Amino acid sequence: MTSESQPLATRRQDLIARLAKPHQYDVAIIGGGATGLGVALDAAARGYSVVLVESHDFAKGTSSRATKLVHGGVRYLAQGNISLVREALHERTTLLRNAPHLAQPLAFVMPSYKFWETPFYGVGLKIYDALAGKAGLGPTEFLNRRQTLQCLPTVRPVGLVGGVKYWDGQFDDARLALALARTAATRGALLVNYCAATGLVHENGKLVGLTCEDGESGQAYTLHARCVINAAGVWVDEFRQKDGEAIGRPVRPMVAPSQGVHIVVDRSFLPGDHALLVPKTQDGRVLFAVPWLGKVILGTTDTPRHDLAREPSPFREEVDFILRESGRYLSKAPRREDVKSIWVGLRPLVKPPDDDADDTKGLSREHTVLVSRSGLLTVTGGKWTTYRAMAEDVLQKASEAFLLERARSGVTTHLTLVGGGPPEGERQRISDAPGLHSYGSETRAVLEMPGAENILGGGLTEGMVRFAARHEYARTVEDVLARRSRLLFLDASLAATLADRVAQLLEDETGTDPQKQVFLNLTRHYQELPT
Ligand SMILES: Cc1cc2nc3c(=O)[nH]c(=O)nc-3n(C[C@H](O)[C@H](O)[C@H](O)COP(=O)(O)OP(=O)(O)OC[C@H]3O[C@@H](n4cnc5c(N)ncnc54)[C@H](O)[C@@H]3O)c2cc1C
């Protein structure tokens, strides 16, 4: 099944006009990250009427800041969480099939410097293969020293004895979020970015809708819905508290945010097609070096963080840890001056109701769905890879709680996302430098935009900027350079040089202020290393 046709227009006036029309929705969703967008698509595909409001841009929160792995989670296997790993491996296959332009298989190598490491980790990975069953992407292989160096030409050779190669996937998180939004829109869902949910509407102790505000005009709206879904990531507790106050039942926060830092360096630090996994760093963590869009992502960390900053800052120890550990495994150790971009995401981890401890590493990566007395359905936790299974679970819980009439489930298992149809020409890898390959079967539509041949830099063309404004909900320079193109995440200084031109094009397309200065300030944040 495919949802492909002509790209749908995302003109803001039209979206706001629909928002303003009185309507009784089946489902209203707060939050346009992986979780909310996944629910919007599933609900729309089942035939429910759906509205989703996002306070900033789609995927502006955690969902653009992942390590970009579509994975079962080798680490969770080591923790004995078999059901989570099995579900994620199944979802990995589904995602790779439904969005092949944005999610693809990737080979990983764990280099061994001690004779016991290859068999020790190899056996664990064989179990990983076995759990994947038919969903496996390729067999785990034991490599000798020569083969390991072939896969990872820049791995530190001194003391290297061999390695283990296994398969997982990688993806472009922000563009996948957009693909979910756009596919949901083709199924009739109304999705509006820069429109924050501001309150909940209760009648006789029951939740009947929400209020929201258009961030551009300041205009307020009330949306009525049978089922209100709180998918605001690390920010879910705000709405749980509002709900609790309205019905006189105070709630305890459920989210324990944990910050993860990524550093991006040039591909010369890890050329080739393989990612590197350090299964146990000196302080017992996991570290990845992943080739992505022509660069290499190094990360990540797991640090409790109590404030909920929109753009969290990395800690000095986190940067030191990533650079130090990368330097132990790469023959050319990355230094602070090699960093092209640094970004931080907040994991919405769910803590048990009686847990006030500060160690987030031990917290489950599974998702949680709660339905309050008034009917507010909150979903958080989990991971990007399992967004689709989470959405199914949410809608199942909604019908069990009699918020929605039961509708056929499993409708997204074989639903091709926008751009996921057959490519025109050979499919390129996500690890290749940015360019048209991210558009998949929409490549022709992008090439037909005015200015398609006008290259701005970093793989971005004038045509792509116009496409972003007309069909991908882009409003600001940041929307284009951080999430339609991923340049802010790849090379913040290069992204800054394009801001002027992108701002002019956006202004021409939308007629509104594209917030160039805000973006320029952000590019500094993405280059700033803590001292
Ligand atoms: C460092 C790091 C690395 C990760 N790596 C991976 C990985 O490699 N693979 C993987 O599968 N998973 C990974 N994850 C997990 C994955 O990224 C998250 O589970 C997922 O993105 C969470 O999505 P979400 O929609 O719940 O949250 P978010 O993406 O944060 O979305 C919530 C949205 O709600 C919006 N919102 C908040 N308040 C309001 C309001 N008042 N009105 C409207 N909207 C509102 C926010 O703006 C935000 O966009 C990683 C996470 C981190 C932090």
Side-chain angles (χ1 to χ4, degrees):
M1 199 200 296
T2 174
S3 51
E4 204 83 33
S5 55
Q6 280 302 306
L8 217 62
T10 56
R11 258 167 52 108
R12 189 158 182 96
Q13 297 96 302
D14 299 341
L15 302 178
I16 296 294
R18 276 177 72 188
L19 198 70
K21 262 199 194 140
H23 186 74
Q24 171 73 35
Y25 289 95
D26 294 319
V27 181
I29 301 164
I30 304 170
T35 307
L37 293 168
V39 176
L41 175 56
D42 197 332
R46 288 183 198 207
Y48 295 124
S49 62
V50 177
V51 62
L52 178 150
V53 289
E54 160 57 50
S55 55
H56 295 66
D57 184 24
F58 303 121
K60 160 76 181 178
T62 307
S63 297
S64 54
R65 300 151 195 262
T67 313
K68 325 298 180 203
L69 306 181
V70 189
H71 61 157
V74 176
R75 193 154 68 92
Y76 315 131
L77 185 63
Q79 292 167 353
N81 200 337
I82 303 288
S83 62
L84 176 65
V85 175
R86 204 194 292 274
E87 176 181 71
L89 286 170
H90 174 78
E91 288 305 317
R92 182 183 74 175
T93 311
T94 306
L95 180 53
L96 264 51
R97 180 183 60 234
N98 291 343
H101 56 314
L102 297 174
Q104 295 169 1
L106 178 68
F108 289 70
V109 173
M110 280 188 206
S112 317
Y113 291 88
K114 296 192 181 78
F115 73 92
W116 56 265
E117 283 177 345
T118 303
F120 180 75
Y121 292 117
V123 168
L125 286 164
K126 288 280 183 194
I127 297 173
Y128 195 59
D129 277 0
L131 282 175
K134 282 202 200 112
L137 301 174
T140 291
E141 293 169 60
F142 294 92
L143 307 180
N144 61 28
R145 179 186 151 83
R146 184 182 51 79
Q147 291 166 320
T148 306
L149 282 165
Q150 261 169 8
C151 296
L152 303 174
T154 51
V155 76
R156 185 168 57 82
V158 182
L160 181 72
V161 290
V164 187
K165 172 172 166 174
Y166 75 99
W167 288 85
D168 247 324
Q170 74 172 154
F171 73 127
D172 182 336
D173 48 6
R175 287 204 64 86
L176 183 64
L178 276 172
L180 291 177
R182 296 179 62 216
T183 312
T186 65
R187 300 290 162 137
L190 170 62
L191 304 103
V192 188
N193 53 354
Y194 296 103
C195 186
T198 47
L200 299 173
V201 183
H202 293 84
E203 273 173 20
N204 304 323
K206 289 287 161 211
L207 185 60
V208 295
L210 59 84
T211 53
C212 59
E213 187 180 300
D214 176 356
E216 294 191 3
S217 67
Q219 181 69 44
Y221 299 94
T222 300
L223 306 175
H224 288 98
R226 275 178 256 285
C227 176
V228 177
I229 297 175
N230 175 15
V234 291
W235 297 277
V236 286
D237 283 324
E238 183 188 328
F239 290 94
R240 291 182 61 242
Q241 261 144 17
K242 281 188 203 293
D243 181 56
E245 278 160 25
I247 58 171
R249 294 183 76 89
V251 294
R252 279 169 67 100
M254 68 189 280
V255 171
S258 150
Q259 132 166 338
V261 174
H262 296 94
I263 283 174
V264 173
V265 293
D266 272 335
R267 192 62 168 272
S268 59
F269 287 92
L270 187 75
D273 299 333
H274 293 73
L276 183 156
L277 167 61
V278 176
K280 201 163 189 182
T281 56
Q282 276 185 324
D283 56 358
R285 287 189 253 175
V286 180
L287 189 85
F288 288 99
V290 183
W292 190 69
L293 292 174
K295 300 275 188 221
V296 178
I297 301 175
L298 306 172
T300 180
T301 56
D302 200 336
T303 313
R305 179 104 208 195
H306 296 295
D307 58 336
L308 294 176
R310 280 281 162 186
E311 289 293 346
S313 297
F315 294 112
R316 166 96 205 204
E317 310 83 74
E318 295 182 297
V319 174
D320 290 348
F321 162 77
I322 294 173
L323 293 178
R324 186 180 62 243
E325 289 295 331
S326 308
R328 287 179 59 226
Y329 288 86
L330 297 174
S331 48
K332 188 170 116 191
R335 298 157 308 169
R336 290 168 70 89
E337 50 272 36
D338 296 315
V339 175
K340 295 283 174 191
S341 182
I342 178 163
W343 29 278
V344 183
L346 297 177
R347 290 179 193 84
L349 301 182
V350 179
K351 57 184 175 187
D354 51 352
D355 181 5
D356 284 322
D358 225 13
D359 179 16
T360 47
K361 287 188 247 355
L363 291 183
S364 167
R365 266 53 180 170
E366 275 166 282
H367 68 273
T368 297
V369 182
L370 293 178
V371 186
S372 79
R373 282 237 164 170
S374 75
L376 176 66
L377 199 152
T378 296
V379 50
T380 195
K383 48 189 191 150
W384 235 123
T385 307
T386 53
Y387 79 87
R388 202 199 62 82
M390 287 167 66
E392 292 220 333
D393 196 18
V394 166
L395 294 177
Q396 163 85 17
K397 295 273 182 343
S399 59
E400 281 168 11
F402 304 107
L403 298 168
L404 290 174
E405 276 160 33
R406 213 170 276 279
R408 194 160 66 87
S409 63
V411 288
T412 51
T413 314
H414 291 280
L415 178 62
T416 303
L417 302 187
V418 161
E424 292 146 15
E426 212 175 301
R427 181 133 10 238
Q428 274 179 272
R429 291 168 197 265
I430 293 166
S431 52
D432 290 342
L436 275 170
H437 59 90
S438 299
Y439 295 86
S441 52
E442 289 193 311
T443 300
R444 185 178 299 279
V446 178
L447 286 172
E448 283 168 1
M449 297 303 291
E453 66 299 329
N454 187 2
I455 295 166
L456 305 181
L460 187 68
T461 64
E462 177 183 330
M464 289 174 185
V465 180
R466 295 194 186 278
F467 188 81
R470 293 183 196 182
H471 302 292
E472 297 182 323
Y473 298 89
R475 304 296 295 168
T476 69
V477 176
E478 183 192 328
D479 297 346
V480 172
L481 286 170
R483 290 173 292 275
R484 295 349 175 240
S485 135
R486 306 308 310 277
L487 214 49
L488 176 68
F489 289 78
L490 295 168
D491 187 336
S493 149
L494 178 60
T497 65
L498 304 189
D500 214 22
R501 191 71 188 103
V502 170
Q504 286 164 12
L505 290 168
L506 274 181
E507 218 165 331
D508 181 40
E509 287 287 333
T510 66
T512 52
D513 174 9
Q515 310 277 321
K516 184 178 81 177
Q517 196 51 49
V518 173
F519 180 71
L520 287 174
N521 295 343
L522 197 60
T523 60
R524 283 193 277 281
H525 187 66
Y526 278 58
Q527 295 173 74
E528 218 166 51
L529 296 180
T531 49

